[in-house]
Amino acid sequence: MRLSLLWLLCLWLALSAPVFSALAEPGPTCAGHALSEAPLAADTECTTEAGVNLTVPTGWTVAARDHALRLDPPGGDSHMILINVDAADAASAVAAAWQNYRPTESRPLRLVLPQEARNGWDERHIYEYASAPNEKLVVFALAWRADRHWTVAIAEASRATREKYAAGFSLIQESLQPAGFQRETFAGRAAHPLDPERIGLIKDFVTEQMQRFSIPGVGLSLIDGGRIVFEGGFGVKTLGKPEPVDADTLFLAASDTKAMTTLLLAELVDEGKLRWNEPVTEAYPSFKLGDAETTRQVEIRHLVCACTGLPRQDLEWLFNFTHATPESSLALLGTMQPTSRFGEVFQYSNLMAAAAGYVAASVLQPDKEMGAAYDDAMRSRVFAPLGMSRTTFDFATALSGDHASPHGVNVDGNTVPENADNDASVVPVRPAGGMWTSAHDLAQYVAMELRQGLLPDGRRLVSTENLWERRRPQVLSGYRESYGMGLLVNTQRDIPIIHHGGSLPGYRSEMMFLPEHGVGLVVLTNSDTGGYLTGFLLRRLLEVLFDGKPEATERATAAAMQRAAQIAKARAQLVVPADPVQAGRLASRYVNPVLGELRVETKDGTTTFDFGAWRSVVGSRRNRDKTTSFVTIDPAANGWQFVVDERNGERALIVRDAQHEYSFVEAN
């Protein structure tokens, strides 16, 4: 649920629109499509003149010039350039690509980051370029080598377009492969049993990455043949304290909750209380989005499909959660506008997923407070039948018992305990991510999925038809991956892998299962750096099951190097404590009509931004365009950027997500 996944989620950004001359002589080709400015009617396989293969997404345009392909998403403000270069090294290849593309470009290089060699590439690098917050862009280049030949991708895209079409950018990047390369496939292979030796390999990987990424505690379960073959804990609940994590230790599972909410929906569809294709306004007449046409189109299944065109718009509940309720959260949807066409692209919305749970609850108990009705429904219809006896939405209950404390990253990149108060922001929208659970409990859910809806005693919890309906692809979310209803369906290795992750301050989690092989995994962590483990552990599990190429450790090694470089660069640019001259120019109080009040406090040379619901010490940074940003640095709220500005003669601070801008203006 958190807005960022470090630098990797920001790679496909930027702006500007260079003009290409008329199309060149034949070279690059795209199957069934002439290289022109017409948007593609379907995902299209293309080949550069050097034989590099890629897939261009639906709705994008493809044009050619000399040795380059230009790939443009809808919107007209963003593009990618793909160029084949013969060069001595990556730096020379990137320089030659810029000379071909825009010889006058002088944007400063910010960082060069190594990537692991994979997908047929012998060497890979990322070149990140400097930009200022008010430019609303990132510029980068990829330099990938196969044998003696380099392929360089230069990307420039506005932040808004990058977020809207993130799945398309991912599709292009992940589909790039050199001529003659055959992707790894597990189709037709039987999975090895998770015997003690293979379980040991997975446990070893967990402990290695815990050390590499400074993850204090982990809960892990492995499922094979419909039964749990391992469950346990690693590390500690809180840094500096001896209490160990075990299989029953509670973690905040964040967006893993979405799959549980859609399981409740499936049960209600079984009972005839809801229909997947039922207009939401029939089930809950007061349901309303900011756009009337979109409101009319939304069916029950669309609440959790990430396909309605509503963008991620989390700041409005993250800044105001202390006074928010389920009812006010649903009302907030009535202010939100779609930024893409219905069903066009993957856009993740926590508020829509929250609405799914609350609409279901209102159908069951229309006279009860919506949050309490949801909690009751989940407890009686999902958690209790599954044997998830410790799983709860009650923060007080969780925090007073056996639970793992959250850990964030401080300004120097070190893992430290953080305040759990910020995690309470999820309470008003808890069907999207408020579940506290353990490795033991969440494994009961995964095992049920693998038993096709049956409980351990053979009773049926949910019909196979409606269980599977949640896995039906609704919208493309990446390379050979689609989003269903609170579940991702990945087929990159030619076998279905169903999964979903979770992210809230101080917690990262993942659950996955292979329905054709009867294998599943649950991993819960109590650190923001746990996201590295959850991602790479999926790869390691596949290697162990199918004798896959040993890539997981190499990927983790490269990620650790990238992380260290990013932290060092960001720290070098940040002044901590904040520059007293710049801080002295701030007003003492600012107001935004949507996000509320911001109070500035300075004491003993330290400047703090207080939003009521949460607060953080800030550092300052001088930007490329000579503006100043104040950046929150407390571990639980690390990285929010407020740009000093002016509005109608009044001092202002600007905060943005990818598609929205909010002005805090000086208040008297």
Side-chain angles (χ1 to χ4, degrees):
M1 291 180 64
R2 210 165 199 171
L3 294 180
S4 63
L5 286 174
L6 304 176
W7 63 269
L8 189 59
L9 295 183
C10 300
L11 288 180
W12 300 97
L13 308 178
L15 183 60
S16 101
V19 177
F20 277 69
S21 61
L23 300 184
E25 65 277 6
T29 60
C30 291
H33 181 76
L35 295 180
S36 70
E37 296 299 328
L40 294 168
D43 292 352
T44 302
E45 302 298 320
C46 295
T47 305
T48 71
E49 66 178 11
V52 173
N53 300 305
L54 69 150
T55 303
V56 183
T58 304
W60 289 50
T61 59
V62 187
R65 171 185 176 267
D66 298 332
H67 302 290
L69 279 177
R70 186 186 76 192
L71 313 172
D72 290 4
D77 63 356
S78 310
H79 51 271
M80 292 182 61
I81 309 301
L82 200 64
I83 304 174
N84 301 304
V85 178
D86 285 333
D89 53 34
S92 300
V94 171
W98 276 111
Q99 184 65 28
N100 178 297
Y101 167 48
R102 189 188 296 135
T104 59
E105 179 60 52
S106 59
R107 184 175 294 275
L109 180 64
R110 182 176 180 270
L111 274 176
V112 180
L113 299 170
Q115 294 177 286
E116 75 280 6
R118 64 183 178 96
N119 289 345
W121 300 100
D122 300 313
E123 187 178 351
R124 303 195 310 155
H125 306 270
I126 303 168
Y127 285 67
E128 289 186 2
Y129 295 89
S131 66
N134 289 337
E135 292 180 276
K136 304 176 187 177
L137 59 87
V138 170
V139 182
F140 76 93
L142 303 176
W144 293 358
R145 178 181 62 81
D147 195 13
R148 295 175 292 106
H149 307 292
W150 291 90
T151 293
V152 179
I154 297 174
E156 296 185 302
S158 70
R159 289 189 68 204
T161 294
R162 186 268 166 210
E163 183 176 76
K164 283 191 287 188
Y165 299 100
F169 282 109
S170 174
L171 173 61
I172 293 169
Q173 178 180 350
E174 290 299 318
S175 66
L176 275 174
Q177 62 184 59
F181 173 71
Q182 295 296 318
R183 287 186 177 269
E184 179 183 52
T185 179
F186 301 144
R189 296 193 198 180
H192 290 301
L194 287 177
D195 56 21
E197 179 182 359
R198 291 187 175 85
I199 291 171
L201 293 175
I202 294 170
K203 291 166 63 177
D204 289 346
F205 186 81
V206 169
T207 56
E208 289 166 7
Q209 305 323 311
M210 288 178 68
Q211 182 175 3
R212 189 191 304 273
F213 294 107
S214 301
I215 303 166
V218 170
L220 177 72
S221 287
L222 299 170
I223 302 98
D224 192 5
R227 64 185 183 89
I228 298 173
V229 294
F230 173 83
E231 60 178 17
F234 305 81
V236 295
K237 301 172 187 176
T238 305
L239 278 176
K241 297 182 179 180
E243 291 85 0
V245 172
D246 61 30
D248 292 319
T249 300
L250 293 179
F251 295 76
L252 190 53
S255 287
D256 289 347
T257 311
K258 291 179 173 68
M260 314 301 287
T261 294
T262 64
L263 180 60
L264 173 64
L265 294 179
E267 291 184 34
L268 297 188
V269 173
D270 276 345
E271 297 170 19
K273 292 181 170 65
L274 285 175
R275 307 185 311 277
W276 292 122
N277 63 352
E278 180 179 357
V280 177
T281 51
E282 287 186 12
Y284 188 74
S286 60
F287 175 78
K288 181 183 178 183
L289 304 176
D291 179 77
E293 178 58 29
T294 306
T295 301
R296 285 191 291 271
Q297 293 182 73
V298 176
E299 300 171 355
I300 293 297
R301 62 192 172 97
H302 296 139
L303 292 171
V304 280
C305 72
C307 65
T308 62
L310 256 66
R312 189 159 202 152
Q313 197 167 336
D314 291 341
L315 271 66
E316 296 175 21
W317 57 271
L318 288 172
F319 276 68
N320 293 295
F321 65 86
T322 52
H323 303 294
T325 65
E327 289 78 9
S328 69
S329 300
L330 282 184
L332 188 57
L333 283 170
T335 69
M336 296 183 175
Q337 299 286 337
T339 58
S340 58
R341 293 189 302 273
F342 197 95
E344 178 187 17
V345 294
F346 172 78
Q347 292 213 71
Y348 196 77
S349 172
N350 284 305
L351 280 175
M352 287 289 277
Y358 291 141
V359 168
S362 72
V363 168
L364 288 169
Q365 299 188 70
D367 298 326
K368 193 166 189 174
E369 190 275 322
M370 195 172 281
Y374 172 76
D375 296 346
D376 285 350
M378 293 297 290
R379 184 168 47 249
S380 63
R381 292 170 172 265
V382 176
F383 300 151
L386 287 171
M388 299 173 67
S389 60
R390 301 200 66 241
T391 300
T392 182
F393 290 104
D394 189 318
F395 267 60
T397 297
L399 294 174
S400 65
D402 177 6
H403 75 284
S405 301
H407 296 77
V409 176
N410 68 13
V411 70
D412 296 312
N414 300 315
T415 297
V416 294
E418 69 178 35
N419 193 322
D421 291 350
N422 286 42
D423 289 311
S425 62
V426 77
V427 172
V429 294
R430 53 191 177 276
M435 176 178 68
W436 289 88
T437 194
S438 66
H440 169 82
D441 275 14
L442 194 52
Q444 311 309 311
Y445 159 74
V446 173
M448 180 278 299
E449 288 273 8
L450 291 170
R451 291 192 298 266
Q452 308 299 330
L454 294 178
L455 298 171
D457 61 7
R459 290 180 298 122
R460 180 162 293 282
L461 177 67
V462 62
S463 69
T464 302
E465 176 186 2
N466 285 315
L467 185 79
W468 285 2
E469 188 66 25
R470 300 158 52 252
R471 308 175 190 174
R472 185 189 300 275
Q474 301 290 329
V475 65
L476 180 75
S477 56
Y479 174 67
R480 302 199 69 184
E481 184 170 78
S482 297
Y483 202 77
M485 288 188 278
L487 291 168
L488 285 152
V489 184
N490 184 307
T491 56
Q492 290 187 26
R493 299 296 178 262
D494 300 311
I495 57 171
I497 303 169
I498 315 298
H499 69 106
H500 207 287
S503 173
L504 275 168
Y507 297 98
R508 298 293 186 274
S509 61
E510 184 76 39
M511 58 185 184
M512 69 165 291
F513 53 96
L514 283 63
E516 293 180 351
H517 298 86
V519 176
L521 175 152
V522 166
V523 57
L524 303 165
T525 78
N526 63 342
S527 171
D528 287 341
T529 57
Y532 291 100
L533 170 62
T534 60
F536 299 131
L537 184 56
L538 302 188
R539 173 64 204 180
R540 184 60 181 142
L541 177 64
L542 296 178
E543 293 170 5
V544 169
L545 289 174
F546 299 105
D547 297 324
K549 299 174 184 177
E551 296 179 349
T553 297
E554 185 180 357
R555 292 186 190 183
T557 302
M561 295 172 62
Q562 294 162 1
R563 176 176 180 265
Q566 288 279 5
I567 289 171
K569 186 67 174 182
R571 183 64 183 90
Q573 295 177 328
L574 195 64
V575 178
V576 179
D579 183 334
V581 174
Q582 298 297 328
R585 295 171 180 166
L586 294 170
S588 61
R589 180 171 172 263
Y590 297 83
V591 173
N592 176 271
V594 176
L595 302 188
E597 184 179 54
L598 187 169
R599 290 186 177 272
V600 179
E601 301 173 0
T602 300
K603 183 178 180 180
D604 299 330
T606 297
T607 300
T608 300
F609 283 6
D610 187 340
F611 301 93
W614 58 278
R615 55 189 283 127
S616 174
V617 171
V618 295
S620 62
R621 183 173 64 220
R622 195 69 171 163
N623 298 316
R624 181 171 178 262
D625 60 359
K626 310 304 181 186
T627 60
T628 296
S629 292
F630 289 90
V631 183
T632 57
I633 63 171
D634 281 9
N638 197 347
W640 292 105
Q641 182 172 196
F642 297 81
V643 183
V644 175
D645 207 330
E646 184 179 287
R647 290 290 188 270
N648 300 319
E650 302 287 349
R651 287 176 286 186
L653 291 169
I654 311 301
V655 64
R656 301 179 175 100
D657 64 20
Q659 299 187 55
H660 306 92
E661 178 174 294
Y662 305 87
S663 300
F664 282 91
V665 179
E666 179 180 3
N668 297 322

